Amino acid sequence: MKNPSILWFRVDLRLSDNPALQKALELGNPILPIYILDDEDAENRKLGDASKWWLHSSLNKLSLELEKIGSKLLFFRGKAESIIEKLAIETKAESILWNRRYEPWAVKRDKIIKKNLLQLSKQVFSFNGSLLYEPWEVKSKTGNPLKVFTPYKNAILNKGIDFKITNSPKTIPFQNKWPSCLTLDDLKLINNKPWSKKFYEFWEPGTETALKKINAFKEDSINSYNSDRNIPSLSGTSKLSPHLRFGEISPKQIIMAISDLEENDDVMTYKAEIIWREFSHNLLWYYPEIDTKPIKNDFLKFKWNNDENNFKLWTEGKTGYPIVDAGMRELWLTGWMHNRVRMITASFLTKHLLLPWQMGEKWFWDTLLDADPASNTSSWQWVSGCGADAAPYFRIFNPTIQSQKFDPDGKYIKRFLPELKNLPPKFIHEPWNADSAILKNSDIKLGETYPMPIIDHKFARERALDSYAGIKN
Ligand code: FAD
């Protein structure tokens, strides 16, 4: 009997366009598909609660897909180094295959695993399964890393974005004897908080849904992406981020799904967003401490405020600025927040409240279903002004103007703040300016049914600018 290949699924939870799986099929040995919940390593950033919910459902879907083609997914929990080594010895595996990750702890761990397996005379294969191009493949003409978005995007477009995609296999070679392992439930990814149960109302993880979504988006929305993607009350974006985060669909599959469309401005903007995701991975690669340390060194001196009460009000959507509060409640209710509103809420936390971006990043990490080690950290740095190619610090979003511009009739606000549903559009962005008769007619008691603003915009803006001047001197 042939010795098996161990196929280690990580953030590539799909059977199509999966280069590690493809290579395992080419080797022709029986395949042992495994998943390890490696949450014991102190350096490994533990998954947030919302991500765990997604991961559980996604693993369940992958497991069912594997069963349909005669295989199964074996679950393990613990230090990947020891689990893989033990399994490779026990099953007499000839080769071990995986798709690469880019977080510093994972890179370090994978190097150790590779070294140990080679010492055991096993074959090790690793591939790019998550990106269009890996960070070291995209360089300037002079061979330097690119840390500014536009040249980075142009470099990718110049390299070409025409990829060959493989379909899911019809069968997978397997052996009759499976090693002992845990069940998906043993991983205890789902907690009993009622909070996570409601995600089922909004999301269906899995490759099948992801593929349906890109096709529906291509059909219905991509040609109005430029105008609609900034309007949070519309379904103007693809909502593929959690599917991408766990690799249920690859960015190459997305690009190829829309490759037959005319390259108009809408389509090019959408492709650019996929490249923003790549750029975030590029930053994570070149700035491995991106989750804690500002890319711009000036910001090491920045005097942040540590007002826990303001932080709590922000997380609960009780700042008194409707657009900020609607965003934070959308996040809590659905595990996702519209990109424009992510920018507004993040700007409010770091510039109006002067709370450290790391606090906001951690909250998003725990509550976003798409919480991504590259995109979340780099976006928080970008919004707060300390990241590569960041929004200039002095560009401070006025939440009221943002709200008037992107949610003019208050539809989005009313969806997530039903307590404001009777307020006329003129005041929905700034209830504090409504007179007592209007508030009474709208069933609102400011300070009781909806909060007064926790900070005055003009004061906050000047304070933020002063603080910024402080680090420049
Ligand atoms: P679409 O508009 O349909 O875009 C398609 C895909 O492109 C997205 O799924 C995503 O993979 C990628 N993309 C789009 N915009 C960006 C961007 N600005 N940066 C990087 N990739 C992008 N995105 C995450 O995937 N995970 C995060 O943890 C995350 N945290 C964020 C935190 C802040 C403070 C901000 C401002 C943005 C964050 N983003 C994050 C980026 C962006 O908000 C989401 O990717 C987007 O809202 C997802 O919705 P969508 O799939 O409908 O996007």
Side-chain angles (χ1 to χ4, degrees), residues 310-332 345 348 363 416-417 419-420 449-451 454:
N310 275 350
F311 179 66
K312 186 165 177 287
L313 293 171
W314 177 81
T315 61
E316 290 173 350
K318 292 183 181 162
T319 67
Y321 285 89
I323 190 74
V324 175
D325 295 341
M328 297 309 292
R329 307 248 196 116
E330 176 178 36
L331 175 60
W332 186 249
T345 54
F348 189 84
W363 181 257
F416 294 104
L417 301 179
E419 63 269 45
L420 299 185
T449 58
Y450 185 72
I454 58 172

PDB file of all heavy atoms in Angstrom, residues 310-332 345 348 363 416-417 419-420 449-451 454:
ATOM      1  N   ASN A 310     -15.254  55.997  27.577  1.00  0.00           N
ATOM      2  CA  ASN A 310     -15.530  56.373  26.188  1.00  0.00           C
ATOM      3  C   ASN A 310     -15.384  55.157  25.269  1.00  0.00           C
ATOM      4  O   ASN A 310     -16.137  54.994  24.310  1.00  0.00           O
ATOM      5  CB  ASN A 310     -14.560  57.467  25.725  1.00  0.00           C
ATOM      6  CG  ASN A 310     -15.070  58.845  26.116  1.00  0.00           C
ATOM      7  OD1 ASN A 310     -16.211  58.983  26.551  1.00  0.00           O
ATOM      8  ND2 ASN A 310     -14.223  59.848  25.987  1.00  0.00           N
ATOM      9  N   PHE A 311     -14.406  54.311  25.571  1.00  0.00           N
ATOM     10  CA  PHE A 311     -14.214  53.116  24.744  1.00  0.00           C
ATOM     11  C   PHE A 311     -15.469  52.234  24.805  1.00  0.00           C
ATOM     12  O   PHE A 311     -15.979  51.767  23.793  1.00  0.00           O
ATOM     13  CB  PHE A 311     -12.981  52.329  25.208  1.00  0.00           C
ATOM     14  CG  PHE A 311     -12.741  51.077  24.406  1.00  0.00           C
ATOM     15  CD1 PHE A 311     -12.393  51.157  23.070  1.00  0.00           C
ATOM     16  CD2 PHE A 311     -12.901  49.817  24.980  1.00  0.00           C
ATOM     17  CE1 PHE A 311     -12.205  50.007  22.300  1.00  0.00           C
ATOM     18  CE2 PHE A 311     -12.719  48.665  24.233  1.00  0.00           C
ATOM     19  CZ  PHE A 311     -12.365  48.764  22.894  1.00  0.00           C
ATOM     20  N   LYS A 312     -15.981  52.067  26.030  1.00  0.00           N
ATOM     21  CA  LYS A 312     -17.168  51.226  26.211  1.00  0.00           C
ATOM     22  C   LYS A 312     -18.359  51.814  25.414  1.00  0.00           C
ATOM     23  O   LYS A 312     -19.077  51.091  24.729  1.00  0.00           O
ATOM     24  CB  LYS A 312     -17.489  51.152  27.710  1.00  0.00           C
ATOM     25  CG  LYS A 312     -18.587  50.208  28.067  1.00  0.00           C
ATOM     26  CD  LYS A 312     -18.569  49.923  29.578  1.00  0.00           C
ATOM     27  CE  LYS A 312     -19.718  49.025  29.974  1.00  0.00           C
ATOM     28  NZ  LYS A 312     -21.011  49.676  29.964  1.00  0.00           N
ATOM     29  N   LEU A 313     -18.525  53.143  25.513  1.00  0.00           N
ATOM     30  CA  LEU A 313     -19.646  53.765  24.797  1.00  0.00           C
ATOM     31  C   LEU A 313     -19.500  53.571  23.286  1.00  0.00           C
ATOM     32  O   LEU A 313     -20.471  53.325  22.571  1.00  0.00           O
ATOM     33  CB  LEU A 313     -19.724  55.260  25.142  1.00  0.00           C
ATOM     34  CG  LEU A 313     -20.095  55.544  26.609  1.00  0.00           C
ATOM     35  CD1 LEU A 313     -19.934  57.036  26.920  1.00  0.00           C
ATOM     36  CD2 LEU A 313     -21.535  55.115  26.904  1.00  0.00           C
ATOM     37  N   TRP A 314     -18.267  53.655  22.818  1.00  0.00           N
ATOM     38  CA  TRP A 314     -18.012  53.429  21.378  1.00  0.00           C
ATOM     39  C   TRP A 314     -18.381  51.988  21.003  1.00  0.00           C
ATOM     40  O   TRP A 314     -19.096  51.758  20.027  1.00  0.00           O
ATOM     41  CB  TRP A 314     -16.531  53.721  21.096  1.00  0.00           C
ATOM     42  CG  TRP A 314     -16.077  53.481  19.691  1.00  0.00           C
ATOM     43  CD1 TRP A 314     -16.233  54.310  18.614  1.00  0.00           C
ATOM     44  CD2 TRP A 314     -15.359  52.331  19.205  1.00  0.00           C
ATOM     45  NE1 TRP A 314     -15.662  53.754  17.498  1.00  0.00           N
ATOM     46  CE2 TRP A 314     -15.118  52.548  17.830  1.00  0.00           C
ATOM     47  CE3 TRP A 314     -14.878  51.161  19.787  1.00  0.00           C
ATOM     48  CZ2 TRP A 314     -14.425  51.627  17.024  1.00  0.00           C
ATOM     49  CZ3 TRP A 314     -14.198  50.237  18.998  1.00  0.00           C
ATOM     50  CH2 TRP A 314     -13.972  50.470  17.636  1.00  0.00           C
ATOM     51  N   THR A 315     -17.935  51.019  21.795  1.00  0.00           N
ATOM     52  CA  THR A 315     -18.221  49.617  21.447  1.00  0.00           C
ATOM     53  C   THR A 315     -19.733  49.355  21.458  1.00  0.00           C
ATOM     54  O   THR A 315     -20.233  48.561  20.675  1.00  0.00           O
ATOM     55  CB  THR A 315     -17.563  48.611  22.423  1.00  0.00           C
ATOM     56  OG1 THR A 315     -18.078  48.827  23.736  1.00  0.00           O
ATOM     57  CG2 THR A 315     -16.060  48.702  22.434  1.00  0.00           C
ATOM     58  N   GLU A 316     -20.438  50.029  22.360  1.00  0.00           N
ATOM     59  CA  GLU A 316     -21.882  49.767  22.488  1.00  0.00           C
ATOM     60  C   GLU A 316     -22.726  50.591  21.510  1.00  0.00           C
ATOM     61  O   GLU A 316     -23.936  50.444  21.460  1.00  0.00           O
ATOM     62  CB  GLU A 316     -22.335  50.086  23.931  1.00  0.00           C
ATOM     63  CG  GLU A 316     -21.786  49.088  24.923  1.00  0.00           C
ATOM     64  CD  GLU A 316     -22.081  49.482  26.364  1.00  0.00           C
ATOM     65  OE1 GLU A 316     -22.542  50.624  26.603  1.00  0.00           O
ATOM     66  OE2 GLU A 316     -21.833  48.637  27.245  1.00  0.00           O
ATOM     67  N   GLY A 317     -22.075  51.473  20.746  1.00  0.00           N
ATOM     68  CA  GLY A 317     -22.834  52.333  19.848  1.00  0.00           C
ATOM     69  C   GLY A 317     -23.655  53.343  20.622  1.00  0.00           C
ATOM     70  O   GLY A 317     -24.856  53.514  20.377  1.00  0.00           O
ATOM     71  N   LYS A 318     -22.990  54.001  21.592  1.00  0.00           N
ATOM     72  CA  LYS A 318     -23.698  55.014  22.395  1.00  0.00           C
ATOM     73  C   LYS A 318     -22.890  56.304  22.465  1.00  0.00           C
ATOM     74  O   LYS A 318     -22.685  56.875  23.527  1.00  0.00           O
ATOM     75  CB  LYS A 318     -23.924  54.475  23.815  1.00  0.00           C
ATOM     76  CG  LYS A 318     -24.899  53.321  23.877  1.00  0.00           C
ATOM     77  CD  LYS A 318     -25.134  52.880  25.304  1.00  0.00           C
ATOM     78  CE  LYS A 318     -26.087  51.713  25.350  1.00  0.00           C
ATOM     79  NZ  LYS A 318     -26.034  50.994  26.619  1.00  0.00           N
ATOM     80  N   THR A 319     -22.377  56.745  21.302  1.00  0.00           N
ATOM     81  CA  THR A 319     -21.552  57.958  21.304  1.00  0.00           C
ATOM     82  C   THR A 319     -22.393  59.209  21.109  1.00  0.00           C
ATOM     83  O   THR A 319     -21.913  60.322  21.260  1.00  0.00           O
ATOM     84  CB  THR A 319     -20.509  57.917  20.165  1.00  0.00           C
ATOM     85  OG1 THR A 319     -21.214  57.976  18.919  1.00  0.00           O
ATOM     86  CG2 THR A 319     -19.642  56.664  20.218  1.00  0.00           C
ATOM     87  N   GLY A 320     -23.642  59.032  20.661  1.00  0.00           N
ATOM     88  CA  GLY A 320     -24.492  60.193  20.378  1.00  0.00           C
ATOM     89  C   GLY A 320     -24.344  60.681  18.942  1.00  0.00           C
ATOM     90  O   GLY A 320     -25.062  61.577  18.515  1.00  0.00           O
ATOM     91  N   TYR A 321     -23.408  60.106  18.179  1.00  0.00           N
ATOM     92  CA  TYR A 321     -23.296  60.403  16.744  1.00  0.00           C
ATOM     93  C   TYR A 321     -23.943  59.228  16.000  1.00  0.00           C
ATOM     94  O   TYR A 321     -23.383  58.120  15.964  1.00  0.00           O
ATOM     95  CB  TYR A 321     -21.826  60.560  16.323  1.00  0.00           C
ATOM     96  CG  TYR A 321     -21.232  61.876  16.760  1.00  0.00           C
ATOM     97  CD1 TYR A 321     -20.621  62.008  18.005  1.00  0.00           C
ATOM     98  CD2 TYR A 321     -21.291  62.995  15.929  1.00  0.00           C
ATOM     99  CE1 TYR A 321     -20.089  63.224  18.424  1.00  0.00           C
ATOM    100  CE2 TYR A 321     -20.757  64.217  16.336  1.00  0.00           C
ATOM    101  CZ  TYR A 321     -20.161  64.327  17.574  1.00  0.00           C
ATOM    102  OH  TYR A 321     -19.639  65.530  17.974  1.00  0.00           O
ATOM    103  N   PRO A 322     -25.134  59.454  15.401  1.00  0.00           N
ATOM    104  CA  PRO A 322     -25.890  58.324  14.854  1.00  0.00           C
ATOM    105  C   PRO A 322     -25.113  57.445  13.873  1.00  0.00           C
ATOM    106  O   PRO A 322     -25.224  56.225  13.918  1.00  0.00           O
ATOM    107  CB  PRO A 322     -27.096  58.994  14.189  1.00  0.00           C
ATOM    108  CG  PRO A 322     -27.287  60.243  14.982  1.00  0.00           C
ATOM    109  CD  PRO A 322     -25.906  60.703  15.359  1.00  0.00           C
ATOM    110  N   ILE A 323     -24.316  58.042  12.983  1.00  0.00           N
ATOM    111  CA  ILE A 323     -23.643  57.203  11.975  1.00  0.00           C
ATOM    112  C   ILE A 323     -22.615  56.284  12.650  1.00  0.00           C
ATOM    113  O   ILE A 323     -22.438  55.129  12.265  1.00  0.00           O
ATOM    114  CB  ILE A 323     -23.006  58.060  10.837  1.00  0.00           C
ATOM    115  CG1 ILE A 323     -22.543  57.174   9.682  1.00  0.00           C
ATOM    116  CG2 ILE A 323     -21.833  58.894  11.330  1.00  0.00           C
ATOM    117  CD1 ILE A 323     -23.633  56.626   8.831  1.00  0.00           C
ATOM    118  N   VAL A 324     -21.958  56.807  13.691  1.00  0.00           N
ATOM    119  CA  VAL A 324     -20.973  55.993  14.423  1.00  0.00           C
ATOM    120  C   VAL A 324     -21.715  54.871  15.163  1.00  0.00           C
ATOM    121  O   VAL A 324     -21.341  53.693  15.094  1.00  0.00           O
ATOM    122  CB  VAL A 324     -20.178  56.871  15.421  1.00  0.00           C
ATOM    123  CG1 VAL A 324     -19.248  56.026  16.279  1.00  0.00           C
ATOM    124  CG2 VAL A 324     -19.401  57.966  14.687  1.00  0.00           C
ATOM    125  N   ASP A 325     -22.791  55.248  15.822  1.00  0.00           N
ATOM    126  CA  ASP A 325     -23.524  54.256  16.621  1.00  0.00           C
ATOM    127  C   ASP A 325     -24.171  53.186  15.743  1.00  0.00           C
ATOM    128  O   ASP A 325     -24.183  52.004  16.100  1.00  0.00           O
ATOM    129  CB  ASP A 325     -24.580  54.964  17.481  1.00  0.00           C
ATOM    130  CG  ASP A 325     -23.924  55.883  18.509  1.00  0.00           C
ATOM    131  OD1 ASP A 325     -22.729  55.677  18.775  1.00  0.00           O
ATOM    132  OD2 ASP A 325     -24.585  56.803  19.011  1.00  0.00           O
ATOM    133  N   ALA A 326     -24.686  53.606  14.577  1.00  0.00           N
ATOM    134  CA  ALA A 326     -25.301  52.615  13.678  1.00  0.00           C
ATOM    135  C   ALA A 326     -24.232  51.612  13.229  1.00  0.00           C
ATOM    136  O   ALA A 326     -24.483  50.403  13.183  1.00  0.00           O
ATOM    137  CB  ALA A 326     -25.926  53.311  12.474  1.00  0.00           C
ATOM    138  N   GLY A 327     -23.039  52.107  12.916  1.00  0.00           N
ATOM    139  CA  GLY A 327     -21.955  51.209  12.483  1.00  0.00           C
ATOM    140  C   GLY A 327     -21.596  50.206  13.569  1.00  0.00           C
ATOM    141  O   GLY A 327     -21.490  48.998  13.317  1.00  0.00           O
ATOM    142  N   MET A 328     -21.451  50.706  14.799  1.00  0.00           N
ATOM    143  CA  MET A 328     -21.046  49.809  15.881  1.00  0.00           C
ATOM    144  C   MET A 328     -22.144  48.790  16.188  1.00  0.00           C
ATOM    145  O   MET A 328     -21.867  47.661  16.552  1.00  0.00           O
ATOM    146  CB  MET A 328     -20.680  50.611  17.137  1.00  0.00           C
ATOM    147  CG  MET A 328     -19.491  51.552  16.954  1.00  0.00           C
ATOM    148  SD  MET A 328     -18.033  50.762  16.246  1.00  0.00           S
ATOM    149  CE  MET A 328     -17.533  49.671  17.556  1.00  0.00           C
ATOM    150  N   ARG A 329     -23.400  49.209  16.007  1.00  0.00           N
ATOM    151  CA  ARG A 329     -24.494  48.243  16.244  1.00  0.00           C
ATOM    152  C   ARG A 329     -24.592  47.255  15.081  1.00  0.00           C
ATOM    153  O   ARG A 329     -24.925  46.096  15.288  1.00  0.00           O
ATOM    154  CB  ARG A 329     -25.820  48.982  16.421  1.00  0.00           C
ATOM    155  CG  ARG A 329     -25.708  50.058  17.485  1.00  0.00           C
ATOM    156  CD  ARG A 329     -26.489  49.787  18.727  1.00  0.00           C
ATOM    157  NE  ARG A 329     -26.582  51.048  19.457  1.00  0.00           N
ATOM    158  CZ  ARG A 329     -27.708  51.694  19.709  1.00  0.00           C
ATOM    159  NH1 ARG A 329     -28.863  51.186  19.332  1.00  0.00           N
ATOM    160  NH2 ARG A 329     -27.684  52.837  20.366  1.00  0.00           N
ATOM    161  N   GLU A 330     -24.305  47.718  13.866  1.00  0.00           N
ATOM    162  CA  GLU A 330     -24.286  46.765  12.742  1.00  0.00           C
ATOM    163  C   GLU A 330     -23.244  45.680  13.016  1.00  0.00           C
ATOM    164  O   GLU A 330     -23.492  44.482  12.842  1.00  0.00           O
ATOM    165  CB  GLU A 330     -23.954  47.467  11.412  1.00  0.00           C
ATOM    166  CG  GLU A 330     -23.845  46.458  10.268  1.00  0.00           C
ATOM    167  CD  GLU A 330     -23.558  47.043   8.883  1.00  0.00           C
ATOM    168  OE1 GLU A 330     -22.808  48.035   8.783  1.00  0.00           O
ATOM    169  OE2 GLU A 330     -24.058  46.464   7.906  1.00  0.00           O
ATOM    170  N   LEU A 331     -22.095  46.112  13.476  1.00  0.00           N
ATOM    171  CA  LEU A 331     -21.015  45.163  13.772  1.00  0.00           C
ATOM    172  C   LEU A 331     -21.466  44.139  14.814  1.00  0.00           C
ATOM    173  O   LEU A 331     -21.281  42.933  14.653  1.00  0.00           O
ATOM    174  CB  LEU A 331     -19.787  45.948  14.259  1.00  0.00           C
ATOM    175  CG  LEU A 331     -18.590  45.134  14.744  1.00  0.00           C
ATOM    176  CD1 LEU A 331     -18.050  44.245  13.638  1.00  0.00           C
ATOM    177  CD2 LEU A 331     -17.472  46.056  15.237  1.00  0.00           C
ATOM    178  N   TRP A 332     -22.061  44.620  15.878  1.00  0.00           N
ATOM    179  CA  TRP A 332     -22.464  43.731  16.973  1.00  0.00           C
ATOM    180  C   TRP A 332     -23.573  42.778  16.523  1.00  0.00           C
ATOM    181  O   TRP A 332     -23.567  41.597  16.851  1.00  0.00           O
ATOM    182  CB  TRP A 332     -22.914  44.576  18.173  1.00  0.00           C
ATOM    183  CG  TRP A 332     -23.202  43.767  19.394  1.00  0.00           C
ATOM    184  CD1 TRP A 332     -24.423  43.559  19.961  1.00  0.00           C
ATOM    185  CD2 TRP A 332     -22.246  43.049  20.195  1.00  0.00           C
ATOM    186  NE1 TRP A 332     -24.288  42.753  21.070  1.00  0.00           N
ATOM    187  CE2 TRP A 332     -22.962  42.427  21.241  1.00  0.00           C
ATOM    188  CE3 TRP A 332     -20.866  42.874  20.132  1.00  0.00           C
ATOM    189  CZ2 TRP A 332     -22.352  41.631  22.208  1.00  0.00           C
ATOM    190  CZ3 TRP A 332     -20.249  42.089  21.099  1.00  0.00           C
ATOM    191  CH2 TRP A 332     -20.989  41.479  22.120  1.00  0.00           C
ATOM    192  N   THR A 345     -16.121  55.047  11.966  1.00  0.00           N
ATOM    193  CA  THR A 345     -16.058  54.645  13.385  1.00  0.00           C
ATOM    194  C   THR A 345     -14.610  54.592  13.880  1.00  0.00           C
ATOM    195  O   THR A 345     -14.323  54.957  15.019  1.00  0.00           O
ATOM    196  CB  THR A 345     -16.725  53.265  13.621  1.00  0.00           C
ATOM    197  OG1 THR A 345     -16.139  52.316  12.726  1.00  0.00           O
ATOM    198  CG2 THR A 345     -18.214  53.303  13.394  1.00  0.00           C
ATOM    199  N   PHE A 348     -13.387  58.095  14.357  1.00  0.00           N
ATOM    200  CA  PHE A 348     -13.983  58.676  15.569  1.00  0.00           C
ATOM    201  C   PHE A 348     -13.230  58.200  16.819  1.00  0.00           C
ATOM    202  O   PHE A 348     -12.913  58.984  17.709  1.00  0.00           O
ATOM    203  CB  PHE A 348     -15.467  58.277  15.659  1.00  0.00           C
ATOM    204  CG  PHE A 348     -16.208  59.000  16.744  1.00  0.00           C
ATOM    205  CD1 PHE A 348     -16.726  60.266  16.519  1.00  0.00           C
ATOM    206  CD2 PHE A 348     -16.382  58.425  17.992  1.00  0.00           C
ATOM    207  CE1 PHE A 348     -17.401  60.952  17.522  1.00  0.00           C
ATOM    208  CE2 PHE A 348     -17.057  59.097  19.003  1.00  0.00           C
ATOM    209  CZ  PHE A 348     -17.570  60.373  18.764  1.00  0.00           C
ATOM    210  N   TRP A 363     -11.017  45.268  19.267  1.00  0.00           N
ATOM    211  CA  TRP A 363     -12.469  45.094  19.313  1.00  0.00           C
ATOM    212  C   TRP A 363     -12.983  44.528  17.978  1.00  0.00           C
ATOM    213  O   TRP A 363     -13.781  43.593  17.932  1.00  0.00           O
ATOM    214  CB  TRP A 363     -13.167  46.426  19.640  1.00  0.00           C
ATOM    215  CG  TRP A 363     -14.649  46.281  19.719  1.00  0.00           C
ATOM    216  CD1 TRP A 363     -15.560  46.656  18.780  1.00  0.00           C
ATOM    217  CD2 TRP A 363     -15.399  45.659  20.773  1.00  0.00           C
ATOM    218  NE1 TRP A 363     -16.823  46.325  19.179  1.00  0.00           N
ATOM    219  CE2 TRP A 363     -16.761  45.710  20.403  1.00  0.00           C
ATOM    220  CE3 TRP A 363     -15.048  45.084  21.993  1.00  0.00           C
ATOM    221  CZ2 TRP A 363     -17.778  45.192  21.208  1.00  0.00           C
ATOM    222  CZ3 TRP A 363     -16.065  44.563  22.796  1.00  0.00           C
ATOM    223  CH2 TRP A 363     -17.407  44.625  22.390  1.00  0.00           C
ATOM    224  N   PHE A 416     -30.313  50.418  12.023  1.00  0.00           N
ATOM    225  CA  PHE A 416     -29.605  49.910  13.206  1.00  0.00           C
ATOM    226  C   PHE A 416     -29.900  50.702  14.482  1.00  0.00           C
ATOM    227  O   PHE A 416     -29.541  50.267  15.570  1.00  0.00           O
ATOM    228  CB  PHE A 416     -28.093  49.837  12.924  1.00  0.00           C
ATOM    229  CG  PHE A 416     -27.796  48.818  11.861  1.00  0.00           C
ATOM    230  CD1 PHE A 416     -27.491  49.205  10.565  1.00  0.00           C
ATOM    231  CD2 PHE A 416     -27.896  47.462  12.150  1.00  0.00           C
ATOM    232  CE1 PHE A 416     -27.276  48.248   9.571  1.00  0.00           C
ATOM    233  CE2 PHE A 416     -27.686  46.501  11.169  1.00  0.00           C
ATOM    234  CZ  PHE A 416     -27.372  46.900   9.879  1.00  0.00           C
ATOM    235  N   LEU A 417     -30.523  51.872  14.328  1.00  0.00           N
ATOM    236  CA  LEU A 417     -30.921  52.648  15.515  1.00  0.00           C
ATOM    237  C   LEU A 417     -32.429  52.893  15.451  1.00  0.00           C
ATOM    238  O   LEU A 417     -32.881  54.014  15.168  1.00  0.00           O
ATOM    239  CB  LEU A 417     -30.186  53.993  15.558  1.00  0.00           C
ATOM    240  CG  LEU A 417     -28.660  53.987  15.588  1.00  0.00           C
ATOM    241  CD1 LEU A 417     -28.136  55.417  15.607  1.00  0.00           C
ATOM    242  CD2 LEU A 417     -28.116  53.224  16.788  1.00  0.00           C
ATOM    243  N   GLU A 419     -34.495  53.447  17.559  1.00  0.00           N
ATOM    244  CA  GLU A 419     -34.978  54.500  18.459  1.00  0.00           C
ATOM    245  C   GLU A 419     -35.027  55.866  17.762  1.00  0.00           C
ATOM    246  O   GLU A 419     -35.646  56.796  18.270  1.00  0.00           O
ATOM    247  CB  GLU A 419     -34.142  54.557  19.751  1.00  0.00           C
ATOM    248  CG  GLU A 419     -32.664  54.911  19.598  1.00  0.00           C
ATOM    249  CD  GLU A 419     -31.760  53.693  19.410  1.00  0.00           C
ATOM    250  OE1 GLU A 419     -32.122  52.805  18.618  1.00  0.00           O
ATOM    251  OE2 GLU A 419     -30.688  53.653  20.028  1.00  0.00           O
ATOM    252  N   LEU A 420     -34.372  55.975  16.589  1.00  0.00           N
ATOM    253  CA  LEU A 420     -34.399  57.264  15.872  1.00  0.00           C
ATOM    254  C   LEU A 420     -35.327  57.218  14.652  1.00  0.00           C
ATOM    255  O   LEU A 420     -35.300  58.111  13.807  1.00  0.00           O
ATOM    256  CB  LEU A 420     -32.976  57.635  15.422  1.00  0.00           C
ATOM    257  CG  LEU A 420     -31.910  57.819  16.505  1.00  0.00           C
ATOM    258  CD1 LEU A 420     -30.593  58.305  15.883  1.00  0.00           C
ATOM    259  CD2 LEU A 420     -32.347  58.819  17.578  1.00  0.00           C
ATOM    260  N   THR A 449     -33.461  58.134  25.780  1.00  0.00           N
ATOM    261  CA  THR A 449     -33.682  57.088  24.759  1.00  0.00           C
ATOM    262  C   THR A 449     -32.544  57.066  23.739  1.00  0.00           C
ATOM    263  O   THR A 449     -32.339  56.067  23.063  1.00  0.00           O
ATOM    264  CB  THR A 449     -35.010  57.300  24.011  1.00  0.00           C
ATOM    265  OG1 THR A 449     -34.965  58.596  23.421  1.00  0.00           O
ATOM    266  CG2 THR A 449     -36.191  57.185  24.950  1.00  0.00           C
ATOM    267  N   TYR A 450     -31.861  58.178  23.591  1.00  0.00           N
ATOM    268  CA  TYR A 450     -30.667  58.225  22.731  1.00  0.00           C
ATOM    269  C   TYR A 450     -29.688  59.231  23.351  1.00  0.00           C
ATOM    270  O   TYR A 450     -30.106  60.294  23.816  1.00  0.00           O
ATOM    271  CB  TYR A 450     -31.034  58.628  21.280  1.00  0.00           C
ATOM    272  CG  TYR A 450     -29.822  58.551  20.377  1.00  0.00           C
ATOM    273  CD1 TYR A 450     -29.297  57.311  20.017  1.00  0.00           C
ATOM    274  CD2 TYR A 450     -29.156  59.704  19.952  1.00  0.00           C
ATOM    275  CE1 TYR A 450     -28.148  57.225  19.239  1.00  0.00           C
ATOM    276  CE2 TYR A 450     -28.017  59.630  19.171  1.00  0.00           C
ATOM    277  CZ  TYR A 450     -27.505  58.377  18.822  1.00  0.00           C
ATOM    278  OH  TYR A 450     -26.366  58.283  18.070  1.00  0.00           O
ATOM    279  N   PRO A 451     -28.375  58.900  23.381  1.00  0.00           N
ATOM    280  CA  PRO A 451     -27.438  59.773  24.105  1.00  0.00           C
ATOM    281  C   PRO A 451     -27.166  61.116  23.436  1.00  0.00           C
ATOM    282  O   PRO A 451     -27.295  61.252  22.224  1.00  0.00           O
ATOM    283  CB  PRO A 451     -26.146  58.944  24.147  1.00  0.00           C
ATOM    284  CG  PRO A 451     -26.289  57.863  23.148  1.00  0.00           C
ATOM    285  CD  PRO A 451     -27.747  57.689  22.843  1.00  0.00           C
ATOM    286  N   ILE A 454     -20.999  62.403  23.026  1.00  0.00           N
ATOM    287  CA  ILE A 454     -20.057  62.297  24.153  1.00  0.00           C
ATOM    288  C   ILE A 454     -18.898  63.284  24.004  1.00  0.00           C
ATOM    289  O   ILE A 454     -18.135  63.495  24.941  1.00  0.00           O
ATOM    290  CB  ILE A 454     -19.517  60.852  24.352  1.00  0.00           C
ATOM    291  CG1 ILE A 454     -18.808  60.331  23.097  1.00  0.00           C
ATOM    292  CG2 ILE A 454     -20.632  59.920  24.775  1.00  0.00           C
ATOM    293  CD1 ILE A 454     -18.102  58.992  23.306  1.00  0.00           C
TER     294      ILE A 454
END
